[in-house]
Amino acid sequence: MVDVKKMMEYEYLTKEHLSGFNKYKYSARDTSPLSVYVMHPFWNYIVQFCPTWLAPNVLTFVGFLFSLANFVFLSYFDWNFYASSGDGSAPPIPRWFWLLAAINIFLSYTLDGIDGKQARRIGLSGPLGELFDHGLDSYTAVLIPACLYSVFGRCETSLPPIRMYYICWMVFFNFYTSHWEKYNTGVLYLPWGYDISMWGSTIMYLVTWFYGYGVWKKTFPLGITMGILMEAVLHISALSNMPMVVYNVYSSYENKTGKMRPFSEAVRPIYPFLTFFVIFMFWAYKSPNDIMTNDTRMLFLLSGTIFSNISCRLIVAQMSNTRCEAFHWMTPIFIPIATMV
């Protein structure tokens, strides 16, 4: 049986972490034109309608639940990603759901945009609220691409599961490098890809609701399908942030504005992410039971869960200005799993 008392007494944050949180000041820069000129004015307007007694963390959590709701619905309607394949192997997803999915993702995006504004508005800004916000964002990193896969389905005009898994990893990589950047610079430079992906997802769901999933089955010259186009856009969107990450970290050392960590300390957060990537890619390719083909959704979900855990540990380290761990405690557990399942 689970010892609830022992769980309640467990120290998830050390005294060193809490001491660092007391000195922490939020620093972020958002240069995305879509965010600066469209979304922030919209969010500044919307947040005025939030009652002052409404806690920012409630907005954060409800926004996450809207994203989670899409994943849960699609897990019920389309567990194996065949519903939109068009080959009759599974019943199609109800048309009404795609309108609901568009509303859910837009509400999630909006609540994620106003939670910080609500915190500053009522004087409740703090490091734990930011940790909660970014922690849930790290879990959303797998929910959004997994839901988009159901728009196309597993068919000739879409992507095989392994290539969709690569997309998930590109989203992970984009999110993680942004926080690795902050670990070294002290500033969170918000990637442009996030705003594009949220708007893109909303539009794709609306198009699917209006025209049906068949609209994504078109093939262009040279055999380019809509699935391949989506793949290219998502990879480019994720990788577009990398040059700025490198430049910002380099500039922080050149101008002595960052944490000025030695190289060995600056790259420490990369090790748990890289180890996690190697183990799970080995599992995807060498699983005795071919888990990538037979239970794609579960592999996506498990990967997203572990990624969120690793990301939160990095976020805690960068916010408390403490040393990030180089070894994730769950690594010894997943090495034998990857060779047996």
Side-chain angles (χ1 to χ4, degrees):
M1 293 180 64
V2 177
D3 190 336
V4 178
K5 182 179 179 181
K6 186 173 291 187
M7 288 181 62
M8 295 298 291
E9 293 175 350
Y10 183 79
E11 292 187 357
Y12 293 93
L13 297 175
T14 66
K15 291 182 178 179
E16 186 181 10
H17 289 141
L18 296 175
S19 176
F21 281 169
N22 289 333
K23 304 172 186 175
Y24 174 75
K25 289 185 178 181
Y26 180 64
S27 179
R29 294 180 187 173
D30 191 352
T31 59
S32 165
L34 176 59
S35 180
V36 172
Y37 297 110
V38 179
M39 297 315 301
H40 277 293
F42 172 69
W43 293 331
N44 288 332
Y45 173 75
I46 292 296
V47 76
Q48 299 177 67
F49 297 96
C50 294
T52 54
W53 50 261
L54 185 59
N57 283 352
V58 173
L59 296 175
T60 303
F61 188 61
V62 173
F64 170 75
L65 290 180
F66 280 119
S67 288
L68 182 63
N70 281 351
F71 184 85
V72 171
F73 271 110
L74 287 171
S75 296
Y76 175 75
F77 289 126
D78 186 30
W79 180 265
N80 291 314
F81 301 104
Y82 284 113
S84 297
S85 62
D87 60 5
S89 59
I93 298 164
R95 193 80 164 262
W96 58 262
F97 169 75
W98 298 116
L99 176 60
L100 177 64
I103 294 171
N104 283 348
I105 200 70
F106 187 76
L107 288 175
S108 176
Y109 181 36
T110 299
L111 291 173
D112 188 43
I114 68 173
D115 55 2
K117 296 180 184 296
Q118 173 73 348
R120 290 184 287 275
R121 177 171 171 247
I122 63 177
L124 285 180
S125 297
L128 292 181
E130 183 184 340
L131 174 60
F132 187 63
D133 185 2
H134 292 165
L136 291 180
D137 286 344
S138 69
Y139 206 94
T140 307
V142 74
L143 302 181
I144 293 175
C147 289
L148 286 179
Y149 197 25
S150 285
V151 171
F152 296 88
R154 292 165 67 169
C155 59
E156 292 183 359
T157 56
S158 180
L159 303 173
I162 187 64
R163 282 167 61 182
M164 194 65 208
Y165 195 46
Y166 296 157
I167 291 175
C168 290
W169 274 100
M170 287 305 301
V171 176
F172 295 167
F173 178 75
N174 191 34
F175 183 93
Y176 198 81
T177 52
S178 291
H179 286 277
W180 171 78
E181 176 185 19
K182 188 182 180 185
Y183 178 77
N184 288 292
T185 65
V187 180
L188 179 62
Y189 296 87
L190 299 172
W192 291 19
Y194 172 70
D195 298 289
I196 296 172
S197 66
M198 298 302 283
W199 268 103
S201 298
T202 303
I203 293 171
M204 287 176 67
Y205 292 146
L206 288 174
V207 169
T208 309
W209 165 67
F210 193 80
Y211 293 103
Y213 67 84
V215 72
W216 306 110
K217 303 303 179 187
K218 296 180 180 179
T219 300
F220 299 98
L222 304 178
I224 298 175
T225 65
M226 294 295 287
I228 292 175
L229 286 178
M230 178 201 69
E231 179 184 31
V233 168
L234 290 175
H235 278 308
I236 293 172
S237 176
L239 284 174
S240 63
N241 188 49
M242 195 59 199
M244 289 306 302
V245 168
V246 174
Y247 174 77
N248 290 330
V249 172
Y250 171 78
S251 296
S252 72
Y253 279 90
E254 181 72 14
N255 301 321
K256 295 181 171 50
T257 57
K259 302 296 182 178
M260 305 304 294
R261 291 186 169 95
F263 178 79
S264 60
E265 291 299 315
V267 300
R268 272 180 70 89
I270 303 298
Y271 301 142
F273 181 85
L274 183 61
T275 305
F276 169 49
F277 171 76
V278 170
I279 292 174
F280 272 68
M281 275 300 170
F282 177 85
W283 191 12
Y285 277 100
K286 298 296 183 180
S287 166
N289 296 316
D290 195 7
I291 190 170
M292 176 55 70
T293 300
N294 295 321
D295 209 345
T296 307
R297 186 175 293 273
M298 186 55 69
L299 183 60
F300 285 4
L301 184 60
L302 179 59
S303 301
T305 303
I306 303 303
F307 170 73
S308 180
N309 187 281
I310 293 174
S311 296
C312 286
R313 292 169 182 271
L314 170 59
I315 293 169
V316 167
Q318 53 101 340
M319 289 177 62
S320 60
N321 199 27
T322 54
R323 193 185 195 200
C324 183
E325 61 188 17
F327 180 80
H328 190 264
W329 67 274
M330 295 186 76
T331 302
I333 300 174
F334 285 102
I335 290 177
I337 290 178
T339 60
M340 293 187 297
V341 178

